[in-house]
Amino acid sequence: MNTKEARRIEVYVEAKLGVKIPAETANEVLEYTMRKLRVIGRPESYLPVLYENELRDYFMRTAINLKGEKRSCARSAEAIPA
Protein backbone atom coordinates (compact mmCIF):
# COMPACT_ATOMS: atom_id res chain seq x y z
CA MET A 1 0.00 0.00 0.00
CA ASN A 2 1.46 3.34 -0.96
CA THR A 3 1.16 6.68 0.82
CA LYS A 4 -1.56 7.91 -1.55
CA GLU A 5 -3.76 4.89 -0.84
CA ALA A 6 -3.18 5.21 2.92
CA ARG A 7 -4.21 8.87 2.77
CA ARG A 8 -7.32 7.99 0.74
CA ILE A 9 -8.34 5.55 3.50
CA GLU A 10 -7.67 8.16 6.19
CA VAL A 11 -9.83 10.75 4.39
CA TYR A 12 -12.62 8.19 4.00
CA VAL A 13 -12.55 7.29 7.70
CA GLU A 14 -12.39 10.97 8.69
CA ALA A 15 -15.52 11.66 6.63
CA LYS A 16 -17.32 8.59 7.91
CA LEU A 17 -16.59 9.28 11.60
CA GLY A 18 -16.54 13.08 11.48
CA VAL A 19 -13.07 13.33 13.01
CA LYS A 20 -9.70 14.69 11.95
CA ILE A 21 -6.99 12.04 12.15
CA PRO A 22 -3.65 13.49 13.30
CA ALA A 23 -0.72 12.32 11.17
CA GLU A 24 1.00 10.84 14.23
CA THR A 25 -2.07 8.77 15.08
CA ALA A 26 -2.42 7.59 11.49
CA ASN A 27 1.24 6.53 11.46
CA GLU A 28 0.92 4.65 14.76
CA VAL A 29 -2.21 2.83 13.58
CA LEU A 30 -0.56 1.98 10.26
CA GLU A 31 2.52 0.55 12.01
CA TYR A 32 0.26 -1.48 14.30
CA THR A 33 -1.75 -2.68 11.29
CA MET A 34 1.37 -3.83 9.46
CA ARG A 35 2.51 -5.80 12.54
CA LYS A 36 -0.95 -7.31 12.89
CA LEU A 37 -0.97 -8.28 9.20
CA ARG A 38 2.24 -10.28 9.71
CA VAL A 39 0.95 -11.91 12.89
CA ILE A 40 -2.32 -13.05 11.33
CA GLY A 41 -0.49 -14.25 8.22
CA ARG A 42 -2.54 -12.38 5.63
CA PRO A 43 -1.09 -11.18 2.31
CA GLU A 44 -0.11 -7.54 1.86
CA SER A 45 -3.10 -7.07 -0.45
CA TYR A 46 -5.25 -7.24 2.72
CA LEU A 47 -3.48 -4.22 4.26
CA PRO A 48 -5.89 -1.52 2.97
CA VAL A 49 -8.93 -3.37 4.34
CA LEU A 50 -7.27 -4.02 7.68
CA TYR A 51 -5.95 -0.44 7.94
CA GLU A 52 -9.40 1.06 7.40
CA ASN A 53 -10.84 -1.26 10.03
CA GLU A 54 -8.08 -0.51 12.55
CA LEU A 55 -8.49 3.25 12.08
CA ARG A 56 -12.22 3.00 12.76
CA ASP A 57 -11.62 0.72 15.74
CA TYR A 58 -9.02 3.11 17.18
CA PHE A 59 -11.49 6.00 17.26
CA MET A 60 -14.36 3.85 18.49
CA ARG A 61 -12.19 2.62 21.40
CA THR A 62 -11.20 6.22 22.13
CA ALA A 63 -14.85 7.29 22.25
CA ILE A 64 -15.77 4.37 24.52
CA ASN A 65 -12.88 5.12 26.86
CA LEU A 66 -13.84 8.80 27.01
CA LYS A 67 -17.42 7.93 27.98
CA GLY A 68 -16.13 5.63 30.70
CA GLU A 69 -13.84 8.33 32.08
CA LYS A 70 -16.69 10.86 32.11
CA ARG A 71 -18.87 8.44 34.05
CA SER A 72 -16.05 7.77 36.47
CA CYS A 73 -15.54 11.51 37.05
CA ALA A 74 -19.27 12.02 37.56
CA ARG A 75 -19.41 9.21 40.14
CA SER A 76 -16.39 10.67 41.93
CA ALA A 77 -18.00 14.10 42.03
CA GLU A 78 -21.23 12.65 43.42
CA ALA A 79 -19.32 10.79 46.12
CA ILE A 80 -17.67 13.94 47.52
CA PRO A 81 -19.67 15.22 50.49
CA ALA A 82 -20.84 18.82 50.24
Side-chain angles (χ1 to χ4, degrees):
M1 182 171 71
N2 61 36
T3 305
K4 187 175 181 180
E5 187 171 9
R7 185 63 191 136
R8 179 192 59 76
I9 292 167
E10 293 158 15
V11 168
Y12 175 77
V13 172
E14 286 175 338
K16 191 165 185 148
L17 298 180
V19 299
K20 174 69 176 135
I21 301 173
E24 184 176 319
T25 300
N27 288 335
E28 288 174 10
V29 173
L30 182 56
E31 288 174 10
Y32 168 82
T33 304
M34 291 187 305
R35 288 192 308 270
K36 183 173 181 175
L37 186 72
R38 286 189 293 275
V39 168
I40 64 175
R42 296 297 299 256
E44 192 159 329
S45 61
Y46 187 64
L47 183 60
V49 173
L50 188 57
Y51 181 49
E52 180 183 327
N53 186 61
E54 291 302 328
L55 275 175
R56 279 196 319 261
D57 286 355
Y58 175 87
F59 284 96
M60 297 307 281
R61 281 189 305 271
T62 300
I64 289 166
N65 290 339
L66 181 60
K67 283 183 181 181
E69 288 193 29
K70 284 182 179 179
R71 285 187 187 128
S72 178
C73 287
R75 280 190 296 257
S76 293
E78 290 171 358
I80 298 173

